[in-house]
Amino acid sequence: MRKKLTLILLSTLLVTLLASCASIPHEANPSDSKLKSIVICESWDINTGFTPVFDVYSGWGSFYYLGNFYETLVKYENGKIVPGLAESWQVNGGELTFKLREGIKFTDDTEFNAEVVKKNLEMIPKIMVEEYVNSITLLTKIEDIKVIDQYTVMIKLKEPYYAALQELAGVRPMGMMSLNAFTEQGLSEEVFAKTFGTGKYMIENAVKGTDYTFVRNDNYWGDKPKIEQFTVKTIPNMDAKIMALRSGEIDLIFGANNITYDTLKEFSNDERYLTKTSQFRVKTRTIIINSTKAPFNELAVRQAVQYAIDKQLICDSLFLAVEDKADYLFNPDLPFCRLVSEPYNYDPEKAKQLLAKAGWTVNTDNIREKNGQLLETDILYDSSTGIQGDLALTLASQLEKVGFKVNLTGLDHMASSTKFLSGDSTMFLTKTYGIPYEPHTDINNMQAGAWYYQSQLGIEQKQELDQKVKELLSLVEEEQVQEAYNYILGTLHDEAVYLPISYLKELVILDRQKIKDYIFNGQPLNIDISGVVPN
């Protein structure tokens, strides 16, 4: 039971994004602006430990803020791996050698060097539960960590791994911490009151459950941000967030988790406020179709679902044109994800034809049936976010028009995830993991016992698909990796086991009286305070 609970909590943390990477530097002269501090809000208490190394039972915590405090060896920006705390690196098969930047210190005034990197990478698996370690493939592949000299470290893997650098770019859990953050057993209790990173900010004061204040790290090795101080206030209710922004109690609301589309539209019509969406699409809103359960054990039925859904209408009306229509499981701009397969364009007549040809005829109740079995499905969704319920209703309406009987099941996140993992649902409305974890983390979770495995068991090529996923884990040559992705994603697309609906973006609303602009960084899920441009 603990293993299943761990998998559910892990998927929650990753799917939203499960992850963060360091911010794109913004050149700035701190003396240029009069505004020195800002106040933002968050829906939950962010203090479950100000650390990138975590147990999945700790909850969301400071997940989206970690890039302000901690940095990684390399960074992920717009699909590319770029230098971070390592100024250069070499990959030779399963050996990754990093040349570290010199002269960098943690906020506790200790030095960043190769010994620190070795200690961090050794402690991560000790601190985390086994299931989470297994979900980060790199951690399972490390054979040895060697200190070559004070500023050179080599990570030796058991076998090559194409996504090693991308996994090292995730701040959680790969953000480097001072040695003072660790004890022999794990993490120091001080991580609940201090930050131990090399980043642009560090914690100054905390009132647990209420607000947290962070100040600029004036010893930061790179360009210093303009904002000297920021405070995060805990405001769970959307109406309370709106009132706080309008009253001047807070200066900005960040993140799709904190902003509804109706709220975004409301503020976009007010000249005092600036509303923005990220240019880069951060994850996919999708339905997982269980190919092991009737009626979706039939390919024709799964394909009919693809043609029955008017995604563009959903994006325009329900998502107010903020989200983009998704033709494929992953954003084609992501590495290895540009498919040549034709998309399933909205065509309800073709959906009806496919169902009729497969023997599903319409009865007197306008529901299709075959051999006494109704064409029936449930749509399972997380009821903790209102828009998922609205989307489930819209999907049900469109499926009913081609002859489905649809039952909606809205449960809280834990209960809906448990039901999905049990294999007891036919359709599950969810989201992909999000960058920088896409696409490799989603693909890795198609292995036996992982998040996506159960729903694929009914497809004809499952054995070949499993073999390709397994082979992918030991590839490094780009052409071979691309070939494997072409097969995996092409097969899943043709077998119609996922119904991608839309590509999500990040959101921000800010008060123009104090803030001129916000610049999303290369990983928009991160709340990047250095991206705030004051007046």
Side-chain angles (χ1 to χ4, degrees), residues 302-524:
R302 298 197 301 269
Q303 290 175 332
V305 168
Q306 308 289 328
Y307 291 112
I309 302 302
D310 190 346
K311 302 174 187 177
Q312 192 61 61
L313 178 65
I314 290 171
C315 289
D316 292 341
S317 58
L318 188 58
F319 303 146
L320 304 182
V322 175
E323 298 182 20
D324 296 333
K325 178 171 75 75
D327 290 326
Y328 304 102
L329 179 58
F330 299 115
N331 172 11
D333 294 331
L334 290 171
F336 311 115
C337 293
R338 194 165 292 279
L339 277 180
V340 296
S341 304
E342 288 293 320
Y344 295 95
N345 293 317
Y346 175 57
D347 190 342
E349 291 306 313
K350 187 167 186 177
K352 293 175 184 178
Q353 292 169 9
L354 282 167
L355 292 170
K357 187 176 180 180
W360 294 93
T361 57
V362 180
N363 64 19
T364 55
D365 294 322
N366 288 321
I367 299 172
R368 293 181 182 271
E369 60 180 31
K370 181 169 71 171
N371 300 328
Q373 177 188 345
L374 292 177
L375 185 65
E376 187 172 8
T377 183
D378 66 289
I379 298 179
L380 175 66
Y381 65 95
D382 179 358
S383 59
S384 61
T385 56
I387 201 163
Q388 290 289 78
D390 294 339
L391 176 56
L393 283 168
T394 302
L395 293 168
S397 175
Q398 294 185 4
L399 288 172
E400 287 167 353
K401 290 178 182 178
V402 300
F404 278 86
K405 178 182 179 182
V406 182
N407 306 303
L408 300 182
T409 306
L411 303 173
D412 64 35
H413 182 82
M414 187 66 66
S416 61
S417 297
T418 300
K419 186 174 178 64
F420 165 68
L421 285 172
S422 73
D424 191 36
S425 61
T426 50
M427 304 179 83
F428 181 45
L429 180 56
T430 185
K431 303 169 189 173
T432 55
Y433 282 108
I435 56 174
Y437 297 99
E438 289 186 5
H440 63 281
T441 302
D442 298 82
I443 299 299
N444 294 352
N445 274 276
M446 294 176 185
Q447 299 180 86
W451 184 248
Y452 293 118
Y453 184 77
Q454 172 73 23
S455 61
Q456 301 173 1
L457 286 174
I459 69 176
E460 186 177 345
Q461 302 96 326
K462 179 57 177 168
Q463 186 174 349
E464 293 85 352
L465 186 67
D466 288 348
Q467 184 60 33
K468 279 292 183 184
V469 170
K470 183 178 179 181
E471 291 174 2
L472 182 61
L473 296 179
S474 60
L475 298 177
V476 289
E477 295 297 330
E478 188 169 323
E479 287 187 7
Q480 294 178 331
V481 174
Q482 185 64 70
E483 181 183 346
Y485 266 94
N486 289 346
Y487 179 84
I488 294 168
L489 297 183
T491 299
L492 295 174
H493 182 80
D494 294 342
E495 288 291 328
V497 287
Y498 299 94
L499 172 63
I501 298 166
S502 60
Y503 299 124
L504 287 80
K505 300 178 182 179
E506 268 304 352
L507 316 174
V508 66
I509 306 172
L510 55 87
D511 186 345
R512 290 182 192 265
Q513 292 185 355
K514 296 182 179 179
I515 302 172
K516 181 179 180 180
D517 199 4
Y518 177 83
I519 310 300
F520 290 96
N521 69 17
Q523 206 286 70

Side-chain angles (χ1 to χ4, degrees), residues 10-225:
L10 168 62
S11 69
T12 304
L13 289 164
L14 291 179
V15 113
T16 309
L17 43 102
L18 270 179
S20 304
C21 64
S23 306
I24 293 176
H26 302 287
E27 294 190 12
N29 182 343
S31 64
D32 287 347
S33 172
K34 294 180 181 179
L35 181 67
K36 301 299 183 183
S37 66
I38 60 170
V39 181
I40 60 180
C41 66
E42 189 52 75
S43 297
W44 51 76
D45 182 5
I46 69 170
N47 188 5
T48 51
F50 297 102
T51 166
V53 188
F54 72 117
D55 183 313
V56 292
Y57 298 101
S58 64
W60 294 109
S62 55
F63 190 93
Y64 297 107
Y65 298 85
L66 290 172
N68 295 289
F69 320 131
Y70 297 97
E71 297 176 299
T72 48
L73 296 179
V74 294
K75 299 188 293 183
Y76 182 83
E77 294 178 0
N78 302 316
K80 303 291 184 182
I81 299 295
V82 300
L85 291 174
E87 62 184 11
S88 64
W89 59 91
Q90 290 183 337
V91 178
N92 182 16
E95 294 184 353
L96 294 80
T97 304
F98 296 89
K99 182 64 177 176
L100 308 180
R101 297 182 190 272
E102 299 183 19
I104 295 178
K105 287 192 173 184
F106 291 95
T107 51
D108 64 359
D109 205 37
T110 60
E111 186 180 4
F112 169 73
N113 55 37
E115 290 288 354
V116 172
V117 174
K118 177 179 170 67
K119 181 69 172 181
N120 272 262
L121 294 176
E122 288 175 341
M123 292 302 295
I124 290 172
K126 293 182 180 180
I127 295 167
M128 295 181 179
V129 294
E130 180 182 358
E131 289 84 358
Y132 184 72
V133 173
N134 290 340
S135 74
I136 301 179
T137 301
L138 175 68
L139 294 177
T140 68
K141 288 179 174 286
I142 294 178
E143 182 177 290
D144 194 15
I145 305 158
K146 294 183 178 180
V147 173
I148 308 301
D149 59 43
Q150 188 174 7
Y151 296 106
T152 308
V153 63
M154 190 266 281
I155 303 171
K156 184 178 181 181
L157 306 180
K158 299 171 186 175
E159 59 183 352
Y161 178 43
Y162 77 101
L165 290 174
Q166 194 165 339
E167 290 195 355
L168 283 169
V171 172
R172 197 164 193 177
M174 299 297 185
M176 293 291 108
M177 291 194 293
S178 161
L179 296 179
N180 290 327
F182 302 107
T183 65
E184 288 300 317
Q185 291 73 35
L187 286 172
S188 164
E189 288 296 318
E190 288 190 289
V191 299
F192 291 93
K194 295 180 181 179
T195 48
F196 289 91
T198 61
K200 300 172 184 176
Y201 290 92
M202 56 187 179
I203 193 166
E204 181 185 56
N205 184 54
V207 180
K208 188 169 177 56
T210 304
D211 57 71
Y212 300 86
T213 299
F214 303 88
V215 295
R216 190 174 64 205
N217 174 14
D218 286 328
N219 294 319
Y220 181 63
W221 60 272
D223 296 318
K224 294 180 177 61

